[in-house]
């Protein structure tokens, strides 16, 4: 019945590679957390102040959403690159490792302190009485007796870490989250399922093996414990194997994409072109919007598609509206002068925030413009993507039109369109290049005051290739070559529910439609 | 006594103005006492009178509030605390076996943590025999033993490092009377054979009178009486000592009277 069930096998295609990366990251984070938390726990179990500070800090970290914690490491590490240069990579493995390590600290620390403090005082006194030194007491008595509690903490941390590692996709570290994020954005449920199932299975298996070790310690069955430990170590070897193999050549171009379908398609479009020209290509998919721009300025991503209005408001902090050509000109100069980033040019279409309503409402309530929307807004529920309400554009729109909605609800973009058609929202901040607007006959409202800035898609090239004539020539044919109609079609191929295409397939189709053919 | 001709392994012991306070509670109150090498002291007294506290200040499980302890003329704070403890055999009032180690490992722990070679199995067997436990118990875990059996392992563990000084806090409290009798007698023999110095806390006044060289009666942190069993039985050492001695004496008299009735 569900077509996506048939797609489940191909969805698992990328699993081995991503699973290895996922394992690597989770193990590394867990190992680092152990290295920090265990000695700290020993210290904390002997000093109440240390315990308060350490547990307080670990609990505090835990209250920060994992997604935010990951994103926060980017600017932090970027600042550190100023001191340490290339030693520090602000995107990818390092921020993921640090964030996950911090996350894993609390369960390990808390259980270890509880376990160590929970050792019967009479037994500790006996250890003193027979003449053990502090170290002997820890090694021979306290640690073995606290081991079950400590192991329980490690198991919790392992499950959390493996789960949270899916989020490292957002800072450019490949993980099983790549499948989940890509699947969510393109409504490819088999991808989502593949990512979730694999990461859940991984968590369960690791938990089981750790549980076996815990049990073997408690019952002193050495053979079993070592078998489980060997299996874990085997997993680690499997995870590390690709590291040596993927020692990329120097001419690998890293293509970034944000977390929605259009970006995945355009990344593939660029990637295919570059590969045809002999470049090695790697994708960093699912990056957050703010992380993306900084990543390009910093050569962590070599090429990306950004939108004029996003750079204008978020990066340049401008809130004024200027004509489109002037805006693109200003952005181009600013990017070059400030960061050495080459804005190669616009792709030819715009992906702006478009307020869309259902056709029946548009007709019955006579809504054509944003001014009309302001009139009916007290009866309307506003559905947005997850970030719009925090963006400066929203402020600019509110300043221009007196909008007072009955309610505001944020959705993943995929669900935003469904929310409008299923009447959970009455107006949405749609994306103008999204194929689902036309497919649903949604009506896009005019913006007579020009409150929303222009959102031309711009091809951004990082400093490394900014002045590379051959490179620029390779991507040149993409400029001014994609009309909004073509982009909508390409997007819809990926977003629709029937006869769904992959971003790569859609990109191939789009490549044949370029209006600026060589 | 021919025993006194043997070289004594046990050291002398000196308490000098020793006190330990817990807030307002004076657990040990300015005690000054001397113990000869090879002496067997029984420490008796009411619950809470400070016996354990006094004992633990010898191996520094408890630090005194004031005063000092000397072993063989040397202040106990002279050496590293773990070195001091390794040279003293200590039997805990609450047994204190390591629950995650089998009996053999519990007994051998002293040799494992010290610089001595690891205890050979033969010696573990011998120690078990000494406390009247079968060899098979060596591989059992502590929770697979009865309370009395565990207590005896505690005694074997204390003896395993061949200490000269033994501090025993109610070592036979959980034993049935017959085993207690046997063990107390065989321990006293061992004490004599090795020339140990022993302080044994006990609530069993009859036992104390039968095996100790000297009895200290403790009361409210002080040594209320310090006398040989014969002196104590003769009387004149205060109410505390009198009432303690009265118990076994009364029992013995009533038993004899019963026999006569029969
Ligand atoms: N850690 C402590 N804090 C406060 N008071 C204590 C502490 N340890 C012992 N005491 C008190 O010191 C006194 C002596 O205790 P101790 O354990 O030496 O008695 P004891 O003679 O060994 O008694 P028992 O025959 O019941 O073992 C008691 O009043 C006890 O409550
Ligand atoms: Mg006591």
């Amino acid at each position: 019945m569900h077509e996506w069930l048939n797609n489940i096998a191909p969805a698992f295609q990328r699993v081995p590679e991503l699973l290895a990366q996922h394992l690597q990251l989770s193990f590394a984070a867990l190992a680092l957390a152990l290295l920090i938390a265990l000695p700290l726990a020993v210290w904390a179990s002997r000093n109440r102040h240390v315990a308060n500070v350490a547990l307080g800090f670990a609990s505090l970290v835990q209250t920060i959403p994992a997604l935010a914690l990951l994103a926060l490491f980017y600017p932090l590490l970027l600042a550190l690159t100023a001191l340490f240069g290339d030693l520090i990579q602000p995107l990818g493995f390092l921020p993921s490792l640090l964030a996950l390590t911090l996350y894993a600290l609390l369960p390990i620390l808390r259980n270890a302190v509880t376990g160590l403090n929970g050792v019967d005082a009479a037994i500790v006194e006996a250890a003193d009485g027979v003449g053990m030194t502090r170290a002997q007491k820890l090694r021979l008595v306290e640690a073995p007796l606290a081991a079950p509690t400590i192991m329980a903490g490690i198991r919790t941390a392992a499950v959390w870490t493996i789960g949270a590692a899916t989020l490292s996709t957002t800072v450019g570290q490949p993980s099983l989250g790549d499948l989940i994020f890509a699947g969510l954005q393109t409504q490819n449920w088999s991808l989502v399922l593949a990512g979730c199932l694999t990461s859940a299975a991984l968590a369960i298996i690791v938990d089981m093996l750790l549980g076996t070790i815990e049990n073997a310690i408690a019952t002193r069955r050495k053979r079993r414990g070592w078998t489980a430990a060997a299996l874990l170590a085997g997993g680690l070897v499997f995870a590390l194997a690709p590291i040596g193999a993927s020692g990329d050549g120097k001419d690998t171009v890293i293509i970034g994409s944000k977390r929605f379908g259009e970006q995945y398609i355009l990344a593939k479009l660029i990637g295919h072109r570059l590969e045809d020209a002999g470049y090695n290509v790697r994708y960093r998919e699912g990056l957050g919007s703010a992380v993306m721009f900084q990543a390009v300025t910093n050569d962590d991503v070599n090429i990306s598609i950004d939108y004029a209005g996003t750079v204008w408001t978020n990066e340049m902090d401008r809130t004024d509206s200027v004509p489109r050509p002037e805006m693109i000109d200003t952005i181009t100069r600013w990017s070059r002068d400030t960061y050495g980033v080459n804005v190669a040019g616009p792709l030819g279409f715009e992906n702006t925030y478009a307020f869309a309503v259902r056709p029946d409402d548009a007709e019955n309530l006579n809504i054509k413009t944003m001014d009309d929307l302001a009139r009916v807004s007290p009866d309307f529920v506003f559905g947005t993507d997850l970030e719009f309400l925090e963006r400066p554009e929203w402020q600019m729109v509110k300043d221009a039109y007196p909008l007072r909605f009955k309610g505001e609800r944020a959705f993943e973009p995929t669900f935003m369109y469904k929310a409008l058609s299923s009447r959970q929202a009455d107006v949405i901040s749609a994306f103008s290049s999204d194929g689902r607007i036309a497919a649903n006959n949604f009506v896009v409202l005019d913006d007579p005051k020009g409150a929303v800035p222009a959102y031309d898609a711009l091809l951004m090239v990082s400093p490394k290739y900014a002045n590379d004539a051959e490179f620029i020539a390779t991507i040149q044919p993409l400029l001014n070559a994609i009309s909004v109609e073509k982009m909508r079609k390409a997007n819809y191929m990926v977003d629709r529910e029937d006869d769904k295409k992959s971003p790569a397939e859609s990109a191939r189709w789009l490549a044949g439609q370029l209006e600026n053919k060589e | 006594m021919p025993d006194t001709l043997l070289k004594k392994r046990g050291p002398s012991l000196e308490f000098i103005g020793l006190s330990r306070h817990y807030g307002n509670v004076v657990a040990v109150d300015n005690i000054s006492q001397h113990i000869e090498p090879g002496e067997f002291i029984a420490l008796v007294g009411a619950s809470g009178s400070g016996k354990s506290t006094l004992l633990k200040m010898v191996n520094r499980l408890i630090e005194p509030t004031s005063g000092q302890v000397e072993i063989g003329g040397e202040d106990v704070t002279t050496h590293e605390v773990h070195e001091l403890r390794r040279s003293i055999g200590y039997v805990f009032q609450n047994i204190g076996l390591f629950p995650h180690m089998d009996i053999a490992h519990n007994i051998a722990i002293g040799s494992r943590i010290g610089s001595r070679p690891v205890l050979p199995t033969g010696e573990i067997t011998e120690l078990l025999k000494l406390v009247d436990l079968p060899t098979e118990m060596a591989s059992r875990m502590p929770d697979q033993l009865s309370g009395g059996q565990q207590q005896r392992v505690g005694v074997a563990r204390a003896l395993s490092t061949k200490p000269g000084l033994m501090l025993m806090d109610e070592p036979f409290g959980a034993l049935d009377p017959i085993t207690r009798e046997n063990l107390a007698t065989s321990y006293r023999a061992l004490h004599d054979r090795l020339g140990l110095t022993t302080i044994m806390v006990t609530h069993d006044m009859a036992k104390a009178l039968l095996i100790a060289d000297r009895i200290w009666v403790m009361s409210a942190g002080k040594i209320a009486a310090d006398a040989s069993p014969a002196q104590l039985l003769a009387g004149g050492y205060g109410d505390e000592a009198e009432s303690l001695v009265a118990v076994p004496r009364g029992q013995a008299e009533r038993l004899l009277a019963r026999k006569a009735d029969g």
Side-chain angles (χ1 to χ4, degrees):
Chain A
M1 207 174 124
H2 284 287
E3 193 201 342
W4 54 267
L5 279 179
N6 301 331
N7 296 335
I8 202 81
F12 277 92
Q13 228 167 33
R14 286 185 67 206
V15 162
E17 163 212 349
L18 293 175
L19 177 64
Q21 305 247 37
H22 200 99
L23 259 177
Q24 250 174 54
L25 176 64
S26 313
F27 269 135
L30 206 56
L32 189 58
L34 283 171
L35 223 58
I36 297 169
L38 290 182
L40 196 57
V42 171
W43 191 18
S45 71
R46 288 172 181 179
N47 186 322
R48 192 179 300 256
H49 295 294
V50 175
N52 287 340
V53 172
L55 285 171
F57 171 76
S59 310
L60 187 76
V61 166
Q62 215 59 230
T63 64
I64 306 174
L67 213 56
L69 191 65
L70 278 159
L72 281 175
F73 266 104
Y74 184 73
L76 194 77
L77 290 173
L78 205 59
L80 287 179
T81 49
L83 293 175
F84 300 101
D86 281 349
L87 276 177
I88 290 188
Q89 295 284 325
L91 268 192
F93 192 76
L94 191 59
S96 313
L97 175 71
L98 296 178
L100 291 178
T101 300
L102 283 182
Y103 247 61
L105 283 183
L106 183 66
I108 302 177
L109 198 59
R110 185 181 281 165
N111 276 47
V113 172
T114 309
L116 289 172
N117 284 341
V119 176
D120 187 351
I123 291 164
V124 176
E125 189 179 53
D128 285 329
V130 300
M132 289 191 193
T133 59
R134 272 195 155 196
Q136 287 171 330
K137 194 163 63 167
L138 179 65
R139 181 165 57 86
L140 298 170
V141 178
E142 289 167 319
L145 288 177
T149 317
I150 296 175
M151 269 315 271
I154 295 175
R155 284 172 70 177
T156 308
V159 172
W160 283 9
T161 305
I162 289 170
T166 54
L167 299 174
S168 64
T169 294
T170 57
V171 290
Q173 167 62 24
S175 76
L176 291 168
D178 286 23
L179 300 176
I180 299 172
F181 281 106
L184 274 179
Q185 293 320 316
T186 59
Q187 290 198 34
N188 184 337
W189 304 124
S190 40
L191 269 186
V192 177
L193 209 60
C196 290
L197 283 180
T198 313
S199 105
L202 181 63
I204 291 170
I205 290 170
V206 169
D207 186 52
M208 259 170 44
L209 289 175
L210 289 173
T212 307
I213 295 178
E214 178 185 334
N215 196 267
I217 294 174
T219 57
R220 268 162 294 274
R221 263 179 283 189
K222 289 210 171 99
R223 170 105 54 88
R224 260 216 214 168
W226 284 117
T227 311
L231 281 173
L232 271 182
L236 191 60
V237 169
F238 156 76
L240 289 177
I243 277 190
S246 71
D248 302 320
K250 279 188 195 73
D251 251 320
T252 299
V253 180
I254 302 164
I255 304 174
S257 69
K258 298 189 194 182
R259 230 173 296 150
F260 48 93
E262 177 172 296
Q263 288 272 325
Y264 291 107
I265 297 168
L266 292 173
K268 291 286 192 257
L269 180 68
I270 297 166
H272 293 158
R273 266 206 103 71
L274 288 171
E275 277 171 344
D276 289 346
Y279 288 91
N280 286 319
V281 164
R282 276 228 323 257
Y283 298 96
R284 285 214 161 151
E285 296 177 331
L287 291 181
S289 193
V291 166
M292 175 69 96
F293 184 82
Q294 285 175 297
V296 172
T297 64
N298 209 42
D299 273 330
D300 285 323
V301 161
N302 297 126
I303 185 162
S304 76
I305 305 296
D306 222 319
Y307 301 93
T310 307
V311 180
W312 188 255
T313 52
N314 286 6
E315 304 303 331
M316 298 172 71
D317 289 329
R318 304 269 300 243
T319 49
D320 50 332
S321 292
V322 299
R324 277 169 75 172
E326 190 189 328
M327 184 173 172
I328 293 176
D329 236 38
T330 313
I331 291 174
T332 306
R333 254 181 291 115
W334 178 80
S335 300
R336 190 186 54 223
D337 297 347
T338 320
Y339 297 108
V341 167
N342 182 354
V343 180
L347 293 180
F349 73 93
E350 211 189 341
N351 183 3
T352 187
Y353 285 105
F355 285 72
V357 297
R358 281 183 300 273
D360 55 333
D361 279 349
E363 193 168 334
N364 300 340
L365 302 172
N366 192 23
I367 310 171
K368 291 198 181 67
T369 68
M370 294 294 288
D371 287 311
D372 298 333
L373 179 64
R375 173 169 50 81
V376 298
S377 66
D379 297 325
F380 270 34
V381 171
F382 182 30
T384 73
D385 65 41
L386 296 174
E387 53 182 56
F388 184 72
L389 294 175
E390 303 305 324
R391 291 179 68 103
E393 289 90 340
W394 174 224
Q395 196 55 51
M396 290 152 76
V397 169
K398 272 198 299 191
D399 289 346
Y401 306 99
L403 296 167
R404 262 174 291 105
F405 290 111
K406 188 166 75 179
E408 285 160 0
R409 297 180 63 182
F411 300 91
E412 280 286 336
T414 296
F415 298 116
M416 184 172 71
Y417 296 96
K418 285 191 193 292
L420 183 58
S421 50
S422 66
R423 302 183 173 271
Q424 282 172 282
D426 303 303
V427 56
I428 58 171
S429 57
F431 300 103
S432 63
S433 62
D434 201 297
R436 286 168 290 197
I437 296 179
N440 286 296
N441 292 320
F442 291 152
V443 175
V444 173
L445 305 181
D446 282 338
D447 173 17
K449 293 184 186 150
V452 181
Y455 278 85
D456 290 273
L458 302 176
L459 196 54
M460 317 283 285
V461 180
S462 79
K464 184 178 171 192
Y465 292 103
N467 301 311
D468 184 330
E470 193 193 325
F471 184 87
I472 302 292
T474 312
I475 54 170
Q476 190 78 34
L478 297 174
L479 300 179
N480 292 308
I482 306 172
S483 67
V484 72
E485 289 77 21
K486 292 280 157 60
M487 195 65 236
R488 275 189 192 147
K489 253 191 191 150
N491 283 341
Y492 195 58
M493 291 171 112
V494 171
D495 290 335
R496 68 191 170 198
E497 313 221 324
D498 304 320
D499 190 26
K500 187 185 270 302
K501 298 278 189 273
S502 72
E505 286 168 327
S506 172
R508 289 235 159 71
W509 174 84
L510 192 58
Q513 304 288 317
L514 297 182
E515 274 142 51
N516 225 1
K517 281 188 186 158
E518 291 151 288
Chain B
M1 270 201 237
D3 272 348
T4 49
L5 299 175
L6 290 172
K7 188 167 163 283
K8 299 251 184 276
R9 194 161 99 190
S12 65
L13 211 65
E14 193 82 41
F15 298 105
I16 305 164
L18 197 62
S19 296
R20 170 71 210 206
H21 301 202
Y22 292 106
N24 291 331
V25 180
V26 183
V28 169
D29 189 4
N30 193 21
I31 287 182
S32 294
Q33 288 285 104
H34 175 79
I35 301 174
E36 286 292 323
E39 258 194 308
F40 195 123
I41 304 288
L43 188 54
V44 299
S47 191
S49 59
K51 306 179 295 292
S52 296
T53 308
L54 181 65
L55 221 54
K56 285 178 183 173
M57 284 193 284
V58 178
N59 68 353
R60 295 178 62 195
L61 284 174
I62 294 175
E63 294 292 342
T65 309
S66 61
Q68 69 187 74
V69 180
E70 288 179 359
I71 298 177
E74 208 172 43
D75 193 308
V76 290
T77 57
T78 313
H79 299 287
E80 288 276 2
V81 67
H82 61 265
E83 296 291 352
L84 170 79
R85 289 170 184 159
R86 283 173 195 176
S87 70
I88 298 172
Y90 191 93
V91 182
F92 290 85
Q93 182 170 15
N94 45 26
I95 306 173
L97 296 187
F98 302 117
H100 58 299
M101 299 180 189
D102 64 19
I103 299 308
H105 280 88
N106 261 288
I107 292 177
I109 192 69
S111 66
R112 184 163 166 206
I113 61 173
S115 44
R116 262 174 265 259
V118 173
L119 215 57
T121 324
E123 274 188 48
I124 292 174
T125 310
E126 215 164 283
L127 284 163
L128 281 173
K129 210 178 292 168
L130 193 77
V131 293
D132 207 12
L133 287 177
T135 319
E136 305 89 80
M137 295 224 164
S139 58
R140 292 223 208 142
M141 300 307 288
D143 61 6
Q144 296 169 321
L145 266 57
S146 77
Q149 289 166 338
Q150 290 180 26
Q151 211 167 34
R152 282 181 267 168
V153 174
V155 175
R157 180 174 70 183
L159 286 167
S160 73
T161 54
K162 305 188 174 61
L165 175 61
M166 287 288 286
L167 307 173
M168 309 171 89
D169 202 340
E170 286 194 61
F172 307 129
L175 299 187
D176 64 275
I178 298 171
T179 315
R180 188 189 306 183
E181 175 71 32
N182 291 340
L183 274 184
T185 312
S186 63
Y187 177 74
R188 175 69 220 211
L190 184 79
H191 168 96
D192 288 337
R193 183 153 53 82
L194 301 176
L196 304 176
T197 303
T198 300
I199 306 178
M200 182 187 285
V201 175
T202 178
H203 284 295
D204 184 344
M205 193 60 191
K207 196 100 283 123
L209 288 165
L210 286 168
I211 65 170
D213 297 328
R214 235 181 343 145
I215 296 173
W216 292 356
V217 179
M218 231 182 142
S219 170
K222 289 188 182 310
I223 303 293
D226 171 7
S228 70
Q231 289 170 321
L232 223 49
L233 284 165
Y237 285 89
D239 294 345
E240 186 83 24
E242 221 45 62
S243 52
L244 279 167
V245 173
V247 177
R249 185 163 38 208
Q251 284 174 339
E253 281 164 2
R254 285 199 299 279
L255 284 173
L256 286 173
R258 284 221 129 176
K259 195 178 173 201
D261 287 349

